[in-house]
Structure formats: C-alpha cells, structure tokens
C-alpha cells in the first residue's frame, strides 16, 4: 500500500475528485479527513470509504475562512494523532463560467462584481494558502510531509468566460513553486495537479446537486475517441480516477524527490497543442476504419 500509516486531509472531498481520491487514498492505507463545505456530502463520502473497509472522518468547513480550515486541521490531528498529507482541493468556478458546457447564462467580464471576485479568490487561492498555513506546523513536527494543491488546465491555457478562475489557478501554481522553496528545508514537499479531462460535472452544477460520481466524458453518452478532441485515442473516456492516481503519486513516497511541480493530470495530450488548429486536428479519422 502506497499510503500505509499516513493521515491525509482533503478539502472539497464531498464530491468529484475529492471523493474519488478519499476512496483511493484509504484503499492505499491512509486515514482521511474528508473536508467539505457541505456536511452531508462529506458524510456520504465517509460512508463510501467505510463500505470499502477504510477509515475516515467528515468535517464541515469553508476553506475561504481561515479559522474554519485551521479548526479542521486541528480536528484531524486530534482524531488521528498526526497529519502527513494536506491536499487543498476545494474549488469553485467564477460566475457565468463555461456557459456552453453548463447550459448557464453568459456573464460579461465587466459585469462581474467584487463579490464574484472575492468568492472565487477566497476558495481557490486563499483556501489553498489557509490550508497550507494550518498544516505546516504539524508537518514540521513530523519532520516532513506533503502539501498538494489542485490547480487547473485553465492556469496554462485560456478558457472562455472564466478569466477570474484562471487567475486564481495561476496563483496556485506560483504558490506551489514558492512554498516548495521555503518549506523544502523542513522536508515538506509541495506539488500541484492541473486536471484537464476526467473531471466531475458537479463542478458546474448548483450547490446541493446530487453527486454524479463520474467525469464529464463518462456521462456525455457513448464514448467515441475519434469524436473527442483529446489527442490520445483510447477505448474508454477519461475518469475521475485518472486524476486521483496522479494525486496518489504526489502524496506517496514514489514522488519523494518531487517538489514545486504542477502536473497536467488527465490531459491525454491536450496540452501538447500549439496555439492554432490544423486541418488534421479538425478532421480526425479513425486509423482503423
């Protein structure tokens, strides 16, 4: 088991990647604190973990509030005796984000409010900072540990209507690099993953929506790799677990000498593209047809 004897805290673990990773981490031997702003979702994740024989606790916390995530970290240590892995995974998209995917209303950049900015900044960047600040004293006490932050492909490439979101995720990348330098002397590794494909539709759904438990690609209908724009052609769609396994790698001793890195997880070659489309990209053919 890759995480035998480890204690992990995962924010945003009530659904999507966080829920999938809670199940994966516990299957690999870790005890997990499932942190989410929606307490019912966190409890549901714990039930799934327990059904597979794992050990987890549910904690309700808003990561944009420093006192709440600090209390969540302290509760984790009080329950399990230590903290080895802190994963700041919680995130929200800016209002009006990716409207063509979500079926929502487009919001012009100039119409976004100060409240809109403070909301996405508070969760996506301040939440990562607060989670790390709360975890570091415990990781130092251990003589080392791991911090993981969930970034996004939108920190590297432009997506329509989510400039505020992209700005916060680019900030996460800079934070990962800076903290890796500052915390390295204490044996603390800091890395990030930037998912592209294989993410949950819950991310764009209203709060309180039923947890889907599958990726966008898995729920969009029969999979045809030669219709998908993903360059890598496989006989199954990308899934939540494809991203979760990258997080597992970063959390484990397999990545013992990795720090300051942000990996484009679940990418399938998408990030290899240049800044324009060529005819062969637009007219992809099945080589086996």
């Amino acid at each position: 088991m890759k995480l035998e004897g480890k204690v992990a805290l995962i924010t945003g673990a009530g659904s999507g990647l966080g829920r999938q990773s809670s199940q994966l981490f516990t299957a690999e031997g870790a005890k997990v604190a499932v942190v989410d702003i929606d307490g019912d979702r966190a409890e549901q994740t714990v039930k799934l973990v327990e059904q597979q024989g794992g050990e987890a606790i549910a904690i309700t916390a808003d990561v944009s509030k420093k006192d709440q995530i600090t209390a969540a970290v302290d509760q984790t240590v009080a329950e399990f005796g230590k903290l080895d892995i802190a994963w700041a995974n919680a995130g929200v998209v800016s209002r009006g984000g990716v409207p063509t995917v979500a079926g929502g209303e487009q919001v012009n950049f100039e119409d976004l409010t100060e409240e809109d900015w403070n909301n996405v900044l508070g969760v996506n960047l301040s939440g990562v900072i607060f989670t790390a600040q709360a975890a570091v004293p415990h990781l130092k006490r251990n003589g080392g540990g791991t911090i993981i932050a969930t970034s996004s492909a939108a920190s590297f490439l432009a997506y329509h209507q989510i400039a505020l979101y992209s700005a916060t995720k680019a900030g996460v990348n800079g934070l990962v690099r800076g903290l890796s330098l500052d915390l390295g002397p204490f044996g603390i590794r800091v890395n990030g993953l930037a998912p592209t494909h294989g993410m949950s539709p819950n991310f764009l759904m209203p709060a309180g929506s039923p947890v889907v438990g599958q990726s966008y690609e898995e729920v969009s209908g029969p999979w045809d790799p030669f219709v998908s724009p993903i360059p890598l052609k496989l006989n199954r769609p990308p899934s939540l677990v494809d991203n979760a396994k990258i997080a597992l790698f970063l959390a484990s001793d397999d990545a013992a000498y990795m720090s300051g890195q942000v990996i484009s997880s679940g990418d399938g070659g998408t990030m290899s593209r240049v800044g324009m489309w060529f005819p062969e990209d637009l007219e992809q053919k099945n080589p086996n047809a």
Side-chain angles (χ1 to χ4, degrees), residues 36 57 65 89 134 145 155 166 200 208 260 288:
D36 202 277
I57 58 171
K65 310 298 183 185
N89 170 68
S155 68
S166 298
S200 171
N288 300 316

Side-chain angles (χ1 to χ4, degrees), residues 3 22-25 37 80 83 91 126 135 149 155 168 171 183 192 195 197 208 215-216 223 228 259 286:
L3 300 180
S22 296
Q23 294 176 267
L24 180 61
F25 279 27
I37 195 170
F80 294 130
L83 181 68
S126 296
S155 68
T168 60
L183 299 178
H197 307 291
S215 68
Y216 296 105
W223 174 249
S228 167
S259 195
N286 184 344

Side-chain angles (χ1 to χ4, degrees), residues 148-200:
I148 302 173
T150 300
S151 180
S152 170
S155 68
F156 298 117
L157 299 173
Y159 285 69
H160 289 293
Q161 302 299 322
I162 56 170
L164 302 189
Y165 173 83
S166 298
T168 60
K169 292 301 186 177
V172 168
N173 296 355
L175 182 68
V176 164
R177 290 188 290 269
L179 287 183
S180 69
L181 187 64
D182 293 340
L183 299 178
F186 303 99
I188 299 172
R189 300 185 295 110
V190 186
N191 291 294
L193 67 158
T196 308
H197 307 291
M199 291 300 286
S200 171

Side-chain angles (χ1 to χ4, degrees), residues 20-285:
Q20 182 69 63
S21 298
S22 296
Q23 294 176 267
L24 180 61
F25 279 27
T26 52
E28 290 289 341
K31 297 176 182 179
V32 173
V34 175
V35 181
D36 202 277
I37 195 170
D38 186 325
D40 290 338
R41 282 185 172 184
E43 292 286 357
Q44 291 167 10
T45 298
V46 169
K47 288 180 181 179
L48 291 172
V49 166
E50 292 175 343
Q51 287 172 9
Q52 67 182 32
E55 186 174 352
I57 58 171
I59 302 175
T60 303
D62 179 349
V63 300
S64 71
K65 310 298 183 185
K66 185 174 182 179
D67 60 337
Q68 292 190 29
I69 188 59
T70 299
V73 170
D74 290 344
Q75 183 178 340
T76 301
V77 174
E79 178 72 23
F80 294 130
K82 63 171 182 170
L83 181 68
D84 301 291
I85 302 155
W87 181 4
N89 170 68
V92 294
V93 71
S94 42
R95 185 167 65 94
V98 202
T100 56
V101 175
E105 179 183 359
Q106 180 172 320
V107 179
N108 292 328
F109 170 74
E110 65 270 25
D111 295 326
L112 291 167
T113 66
E114 183 176 358
E115 182 181 0
D116 290 328
W117 169 238
N118 287 335
N119 180 51
V120 71
L121 176 67
V123 176
N124 294 354
L125 186 51
S126 296
V128 178
I129 293 170
F130 297 155
T131 301
Q133 285 183 317
V136 163
H138 300 288
L139 299 179
K140 284 182 176 179
R141 196 172 299 121
N142 283 353
T146 298
I147 296 172
I148 302 173
T150 300
S151 180
S152 170
S155 68
F156 298 117
L157 299 173
Y159 285 69
H160 289 293
Q161 302 299 322
I162 56 170
L164 302 189
Y165 173 83
S166 298
T168 60
K169 292 301 186 177
V172 168
N173 296 355
L175 182 68
V176 164
R177 290 188 290 269
L179 287 183
S180 69
L181 187 64
D182 293 340
L183 299 178
F186 303 99
I188 299 172
R189 300 185 295 110
V190 186
N191 291 294
L193 67 158
T196 308
H197 307 291
M199 291 300 286
S200 171
N202 279 110
F203 185 60
L204 297 178
M205 296 167 67
S209 299
V211 176
V212 176
Q214 292 181 299
S215 68
Y216 296 105
E217 295 85 358
E218 287 174 316
V219 301
S220 64
W223 174 249
D224 184 346
F226 296 98
V227 172
S228 167
I230 301 173
L232 181 64
K233 304 304 178 186
L234 300 180
N235 62 2
R236 66 164 180 86
S239 69
L240 296 170
V241 76
D242 290 308
N243 291 289
K245 286 183 176 179
I246 300 300
L248 173 62
F249 166 70
L250 293 174
S252 75
D253 290 340
D254 288 344
Y257 239 91
M258 285 188 65
S259 195
Q261 306 302 308
V262 179
I263 298 177
S264 297
S265 62
D267 165 63
T270 298
M271 297 290 285
S272 68
R273 293 195 183 280
V274 296
M276 65 178 68
W277 290 79
F278 293 97
E280 56 266 33
D281 295 318
L282 299 173
E283 301 174 2
Q284 295 184 64
K285 300 289 193 299

